[in-house]
Amino acid sequence: MSVDELGVWLGAERVGILRRADGRRLSFQYDADYLSRDEAVPLSLSLPLRESSFDDTQARPFFANLLPDAMLREAVARKLGLSPANDFALLAALGGECAGAVSLLPRDAEPERGGEYVPLSDEEFAQIVEELPRRPLLAGERGIRLSLAGAQGKLPVRIEGDRVFIARGALPTTHIVKPEIPGVEGAVRNEAFCMELATRSGLPVPRSWVRLGREPVYVVQRFDRQAGPDGTVVRRRAEDFCQALGHPPEAKYESEGGPGLADAFAVLERHSTNPALDRRALLRWTVFNALLQNADAHAKNISLLHEPGGVRLAPFYDLLCTAAYQSVTDKLAMKVGGEGRPQRIRRRHWERFADQVMIGPRLVRDTVAQMAASLPVAAVALAAEQEAALGRAPVVDLILRSIQARCRQAEREMAARGMGI
């Protein structure tokens, strides 16, 4: 008998029920008891507190965005013997440990109180990493119900110093491990380089590094988890911008009807408790991705944190230079002033972007000029440091050339006076 209802939990509190009707259509409704509480908070900006239920078009974007994307979803579904189009069944199988503080359980079940962190030897860890393409997210492993969005194979773990642990039961993880992507040479070094470059460019990003072993892997600390003084890990409420704006995962790109930059800046203006600071950070993220040529900076790659004091922009993640790969499109996921090709972005496009997101054009120009001047210098220094520590990576040479070309062009554009350029 198929399961038609799942309890939806925020941390240790059940907030409502996710239902499946007619074999596929989803609906979500908050529990009356939960709504009566003064401390009740919504699951998402797109699912405000109310008594009536949310239909499939309203509920599915939030819940479907908890699941893996594209080929990774298909691989997980094959391992579990499920249809990749069956959001409800995948949530039932994987929803014990999702991004943010959300978990999904059988209707009358409660979160497990126990569980254990199982330490892995270096050999055991290497074997699990090698098996990820065949068993993504450890799908089907007894006692493990993990779900992460994205199209890349990854593994949520707990890390303490040099020790790696797999979480069984209800225990949250602290880090995400990403191995090399088949057919994408140097993805580990690419992301590690770009994330550290972002840090040095003043962008808020989680700590990340390359873990060496049989095969190098990229490791990043989860911003949606927080460890207390006693070592207890707490889930933090978070949602990506597709969830916040009610867009399904297949519409994460602006060209496919997904959010654009004006939508993202508007979310912060309406909901952030410090919109000026968060919009300034998102401006730097926009400029950084354009100069880096990161064509995959879409709405699922920016998130919000829901804290007791209100909503804030989350640290940035999934930053890499897609220009290093000829097989990847050269068009940005979100256009700058109507232009999606980084090599064709001119001063007038930055001016138009400033108008669209309601930021002063001088601030935008100054940000582009400052970052175009500083980014190549920081990139060369970082490349030398990482080469000394990790060895040379050809992909970093390609990234440097891309950055230098885009930054030279941007400096010329910002120095120009004519709007018709």
Side-chain angles (χ1 to χ4, degrees), residues 4-74:
D4 292 316
E5 294 185 336
L6 291 171
V8 181
W9 294 72
L10 272 179
E13 189 167 22
R14 200 182 87 167
V15 301
I17 293 290
L18 180 69
R19 295 183 174 89
R20 174 178 60 179
D22 301 324
R24 183 162 182 174
R25 298 186 66 80
L26 303 181
S27 66
F28 169 73
Q29 187 168 20
Y30 287 105
D31 288 344
D33 287 347
Y34 180 72
L35 291 174
S36 68
R37 299 177 187 177
D38 292 337
E39 65 273 19
V41 294
L43 272 180
S44 166
L45 297 180
S46 63
L47 298 172
L49 296 174
R50 73 185 197 194
E51 294 181 1
S52 58
S53 65
F54 296 87
D55 64 19
D56 186 78
T57 59
Q58 299 165 320
R60 194 176 81 83
F62 176 80
F63 290 100
N65 274 301
L66 296 172
L67 292 166
D69 298 345
M71 293 179 64
L72 182 60
R73 174 193 280 242
E74 293 182 8

Side-chain angles (χ1 to χ4, degrees), residues 131-152:
E131 291 173 5
L132 278 180
R134 298 183 297 277
R135 192 171 51 152
L137 297 172
L138 296 182
E141 179 78 8
R142 184 179 177 86
I144 296 179
R145 296 176 66 239
L146 303 168
S147 184
L148 285 174
Q152 180 181 352

Side-chain angles (χ1 to χ4, degrees), residues 193-224:
F193 181 87
C194 295
M195 287 285 282
E196 178 59 27
L197 185 60
T199 298
R200 300 186 183 195
S201 301
L203 276 70
V205 297
R207 180 173 175 261
S208 64
W209 66 94
V210 174
R211 180 185 175 94
L212 299 176
R214 187 188 301 172
E215 295 291 340
V217 294
Y218 170 76
V219 182
V220 61
Q221 189 169 359
R222 296 189 67 158
F223 66 81
D224 60 344

Side-chain angles (χ1 to χ4, degrees), residues 273-296:
T273 54
N274 194 331
L277 188 63
D278 284 349
R279 283 163 55 85
R280 181 77 63 97
L282 192 60
L283 168 61
R284 294 189 66 81
W285 176 85
T286 303
V287 176
F288 181 82
N289 282 314
L291 298 179
L292 181 68
Q293 289 201 98
N294 176 14
D296 206 41

